[in-house]
């Protein structure tokens, strides 16, 4: 107990000493400021002005970033809405008309010798042509409802014929539905098949060049959606 009391007294004495030294330092500082006020006040004014300007600048920067973020979000929404409006006419096409329309888009973007199969038993080559640089393009077209998904079975059939049967340099799987299943998209990425879902097709319809869409392969503009789990879409 005695030792504890001594420690308490020591702490109190140390605290009083620190308070005393602090008060003395404050008095000295005030005295120095008063004695050198002509030198101090411009510094204080400059520091205060810098603080005010810095705070105002930070506030404006945050407001600007927030406005830019809101503008980007609005533009993305408007672009997605415009794509959907452009896709309304595509949705009204029959599957034969859809294949013909895809061929027209290929020709618009500089493809040559574009041919439409327009029949069953084409082994996945609904549209065949050549890109401007001479590479052979083979396109599989799937006219699905927007809510459906391209299954891995669909992708497997195309992977098995696009290059082996048709000698494709660029294999393009284009669909009107929003997603490829996770398995289908994974297969497309592994086999270097360009997976063009509804959002990217909408960009193509709106004027994006095919050459700029090929590197996106299943991602890119429009409403970003995670691949659907594998399921039977038929």
């Amino acid at each position: 107990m005695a030792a504890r009391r001594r420690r308490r007294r020591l702490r109190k004495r140390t605290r009083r000493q620190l308070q005393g030294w602090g008060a003395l330092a404050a008095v000295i500082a005030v005295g120095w400021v008063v004695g050198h006020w002509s030198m101090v006040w411009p510094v204080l004014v400059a520091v205060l002005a810098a603080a005010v300007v810095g705070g105002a600048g930070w506030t404006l920067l945050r407001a600007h970033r927030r406005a830019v973020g809101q503008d980007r979000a609005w533009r993305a929404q408007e672009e997605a809405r415009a794509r959907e409006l452009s896709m309304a006419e595509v949705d009204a096409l029959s599957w034969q008309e859809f294949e013909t329309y895809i061929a027209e888009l290929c020709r618009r973007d500089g493809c040559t010798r574009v041919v439409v199969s327009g029949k069953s038993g084409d082994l996945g080559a609904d549209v065949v042509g050549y890109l401007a640089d001479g590479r052979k393009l083979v396109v599989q077209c799937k006219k699905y409802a927007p809510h459906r998904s391209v299954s891995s079975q669909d992708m497997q059939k195309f992977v098995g014929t696009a290059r082996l049967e048709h000698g494709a340099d660029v294999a393009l799987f284009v669909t009107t539905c929003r997603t490829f299943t996770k398995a289908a998209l994974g297969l497309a990425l592994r086999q270097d098949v360009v997976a063009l879902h509804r959002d990217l097709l909408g960009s193509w319809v709106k004027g994006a060049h095919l050459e700029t869409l090929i590197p996106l392969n299943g991602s890119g503009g429009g409403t970003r959606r995670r691949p659907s789990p594998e399921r039977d879409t038929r």
Side-chain angles (χ1 to χ4, degrees), residues 106-137:
C106 292
R107 295 189 185 98
R108 183 201 71 186
D109 290 346
C111 294
T112 59
R113 290 182 282 169
V114 178
V115 177
V116 182
S117 170
K119 60 183 180 180
S120 60
D122 53 22
L123 298 178
D126 295 322
V127 178
V128 177
Y130 291 84
L131 297 172
D133 59 10
R135 289 178 295 168
K136 186 174 183 179
L137 173 68

Side-chain angles (χ1 to χ4, degrees), residues 14-194:
T14 302
R15 191 181 303 115
R16 285 196 297 268
Q17 289 175 349
L18 290 175
Q19 290 173 347
W21 284 110
L24 178 61
V27 170
I28 293 174
V30 171
W32 186 89
V33 169
V34 171
H36 300 80
W37 180 247
S38 60
M39 296 172 54
V40 172
W41 75 263
V43 177
L44 292 177
V45 171
V47 171
L48 179 61
V52 171
V53 172
W58 176 247
T59 301
L60 290 174
L61 179 61
R62 289 184 61 187
H64 172 70
R65 288 178 176 175
R66 184 165 54 251
V68 169
Q70 292 173 347
D71 180 68
R72 287 176 178 171
W74 175 80
R75 288 179 183 276
Q77 292 173 354
E78 288 301 306
E79 289 174 2
R81 187 175 295 111
R83 277 192 294 271
E84 281 302 306
L85 289 175
S86 66
M87 287 296 294
E89 296 181 0
V90 177
D91 289 336
L93 300 175
S94 67
W95 66 267
Q96 296 95 334
E97 292 170 335
F98 178 59
E99 292 179 0
T100 300
Y101 181 67
I102 293 300
E104 292 173 357
L105 291 178
C106 292
R107 295 189 185 98
R108 183 201 71 186
D109 290 346
C111 294
T112 59
R113 290 182 282 169
V114 178
V115 177
V116 182
S117 170
K119 60 183 180 180
S120 60
D122 53 22
L123 298 178
D126 295 322
V127 178
V128 177
Y130 291 84
L131 297 172
D133 59 10
R135 289 178 295 168
K136 186 174 183 179
L137 173 68
V138 176
V139 186
Q140 168 78 91
C141 304
K142 284 297 182 184
K143 179 67 168 50
Y144 284 165
H147 66 274
R148 292 182 60 179
S149 299
V150 173
S151 68
S152 62
Q153 288 81 4
D154 290 331
M155 188 61 68
Q156 287 169 17
K157 293 176 182 178
F158 186 52
V159 166
T161 60
R163 290 186 171 84
L164 293 178
E165 292 289 338
H166 305 294
D169 296 308
V170 177
L172 175 64
F173 196 119
V174 58
T175 181
T176 52
C177 64
R178 295 192 184 282
T179 60
F180 294 81
T181 64
K182 185 176 181 179
L185 185 56
L187 180 60
L189 293 174
R190 291 193 301 274
Q191 298 297 326
D192 196 26
V193 173
V194 181

